[in-house]
Structures are given as C-alpha cells and as structure tokens.
Amino acid sequence: AMPDRRRDHHGARRWVHRCEWRRRQKQALQASSASPSLPCPTSSFLERPLAMPHELDGRGRWLVVRGFCTHDEVCALEDKLSRHYLRGELLPNPCGPYRFFAKVDEAPATYVDPLLTKLTSRCERLLELQGLPADRVLGRTLSLLQPGGFIHRHRDAYHPTQPGHRPGLDHLRANIVVRLRHPSGRPIIEGEPLSVEEGDLWAFYASRSHHETEKVLGSEPRIVVGFGWSVPQHHNLRAPALDASHGTCVASDT
C-alpha cells in the first residue's frame, strides 16, 4: 500500500519534480548525442579510481571520507531515491514524523541495482571490511528526511531479543550523503556535528556512539544511503590506505 503522504511537504514534492525533469533532460541529451564510437559520459564513472581526502576522529569514533561518490553517482542515487519515493517504496519511519526509509536487503529485487552493489564493494575495500559479515538488523538502508524531520538521539547496539542479534560484535555503519542542502541535517556523533557534504561518506560505530540530527530546516529533503557490518569489539577505524605515487587515499572499483 502507498504510504500516507497527506503531510508531505511542498519542498519534497518540488524535489521529486526536479528529479523527474533532470531525468528527462538527461535522456534527451543522451538520445541526441548517441554515437556508436563514443561511450556515454557516465558509462565509466563506476570504474575509475577516486582520490579521497579524509578526516579521522582522534578518538577513533568516526571517519569522514571526502568525495566518496562522484557527481554522476550522487545524481544517480538521488534519481533512484526519487523513484522509490514516488512508487511508495520508502515507508514512513515509526521513529519520528517526516521520515521515510527502506531496508534494502529485505527486498533486494526492489532496491538493489548495479550502482548500489558497486558502492557496497567500494565501502568494504575502503574501510577494509572484506570478509566481515553484513549487519542483519538494519543492513543497507535508504533514508529520506523531509523538512521538519529529525533523527532522535540513540545507539544501534545489538540486543539478545532482536532479530539479527550478533553477541560479542559491534555495529559499524557507513553512510553516503546524497542530498544535504542545509547544515541542520548533518550527522551528530556524541554531540559533535560532522561537516559532511553531498558525495561524502561518514563511518562510525553505531552501537558505541550516540548519534542524531537536528530538525531538518529549509525546503529540501535530507537523503542518505547507509551500509552496515558486524565487527569485532576490538575493531578500530583506520585512515584509508594511501596511494604511494600521489599521497591520497584511493578506492578503485576494478
């Protein structure tokens, strides 16, 4: 069933209309410039390596990676979220008003696509999480906060009565900023706002640190794509590996 959107904000509807307009413009541009000898401008953006500056909290609570996604990837994610939103596939979050979300891994046929798969692998390589189990409580998530929505202060620790509980492990999350036009929507980890922008990624221990946002202000929604893993309690976030030739951290999808 379609979620009740009678309380939908005009700002969110305008955002959806802009996404629709941009999709039509992109389709028209690709159709007019199609050539068998020239690849689509966005056809290789998933494969190229990215140089990504970063900030690591001195106490190891969080890591911010700048420019984790390219502009094309951010646009593609925003279009993806707008389509799910229009189809009623982002459900009202019972934790608060003006919040919509989806647990990707509960309906992979609906939500998983090649872009999300690529970004999942990129996260695992960048954060050196290969071989560690994916979180089974939240898993991968799509999140949209309309203006007026906020994330309450909480932790995502594992509990014995909770489906997906993994005793003795911590819950590590990594989130991609897809749309953030007002600083009120920035994540707050243990009372400290993180200065993230669209295309950035932040990772933190959701089971160890309280996290929240302020009420989202302005006329634009806050959009985040999230990933989760179950890690040993002694696990520590580390700065991404440096490329020896350029001194910048690199994550390649090849």
Side-chain angles (χ1 to χ4, degrees):
M2 293 285 288
D4 184 0
R5 299 177 188 276
R6 287 173 293 179
R7 302 180 69 188
D8 194 2
H9 278 212
H10 292 295
R13 289 198 292 271
R14 287 195 298 270
W15 162 74
V16 168
H17 292 156
R18 281 197 299 273
C19 289
E20 288 286 292
W21 176 85
R22 188 173 63 211
R23 275 197 295 272
R24 289 194 297 269
Q25 291 293 103
K26 183 177 179 180
Q27 291 168 355
L29 179 63
Q30 290 177 348
S32 64
S33 61
S35 169
S37 61
L38 293 175
C40 170
T42 60
S43 62
S44 62
F45 70 78
L46 290 174
E47 287 74 31
R48 64 177 180 149
L50 297 175
M52 290 178 271
H54 64 276
E55 298 174 24
L56 179 63
D57 173 49
R59 296 167 60 183
R61 296 171 300 177
W62 50 262
L63 169 71
V64 172
V65 179
R66 304 291 178 194
F68 178 81
C69 288
T70 66
H71 174 73
D72 281 342
E73 289 171 330
V74 170
C75 290
L77 288 172
E78 187 178 358
D79 287 346
K80 172 182 174 64
L81 267 289
S82 74
R83 290 193 296 270
H84 289 308
Y85 183 81
L86 281 173
R87 293 196 292 254
E89 295 166 350
L90 299 184
L91 305 179
N93 192 321
C95 293
Y98 309 124
R99 295 174 61 174
F100 293 84
F101 82 115
K103 292 184 178 182
V104 169
D105 298 300
E106 290 187 353
T110 300
Y111 301 111
V112 176
D113 57 20
L115 174 57
L116 191 63
T117 300
K118 284 279 188 180
L119 294 176
T120 302
S121 297
R122 187 185 300 170
C123 281
E124 291 177 341
R125 281 191 293 276
L126 183 77
L127 300 175
E128 300 181 61
L129 298 170
Q130 297 99 319
L132 292 178
D135 165 63
R136 294 185 301 190
V137 176
L138 295 177
R140 291 175 289 185
T141 57
L142 308 178
S143 169
L144 184 149
L145 269 65
Q146 296 176 352
F150 66 94
I151 296 175
H152 61 289
R153 188 173 187 267
H154 71 288
R155 290 187 296 183
D156 294 299
Y158 292 131
H159 299 288
T161 59
Q162 185 181 51
H165 167 65
R166 284 198 166 113
L169 297 181
D170 271 331
H171 185 176
L172 175 69
R173 297 211 59 83
N175 298 300
I176 297 172
V177 184
V178 177
R179 193 165 188 84
L180 183 63
R181 294 304 171 93
H182 195 283
S184 57
R186 288 174 174 170
I188 300 172
I189 310 295
E190 291 294 351
E192 181 178 358
L194 304 188
S195 181
V196 295
E197 306 293 341
E198 293 172 2
D200 292 348
L201 173 141
W202 83 92
F204 71 106
Y205 297 98
S207 55
R208 302 179 192 173
S209 298
H210 286 96
H211 48 285
E212 61 190 308
T213 71
E214 298 178 352
K215 184 179 293 186
V216 175
L217 303 177
S219 60
E220 300 283 344
R222 172 196 190 264
I223 302 173
V224 168
V225 174
F227 309 81
W229 295 267
S230 298
V231 300
Q233 291 181 338
H234 61 265
H235 186 273
N236 292 307
L237 284 168
R238 299 192 298 176
L242 295 181
D243 177 86
S245 60
H246 297 95
T248 53
C249 52
V250 171
S252 172
D253 292 320
T254 56

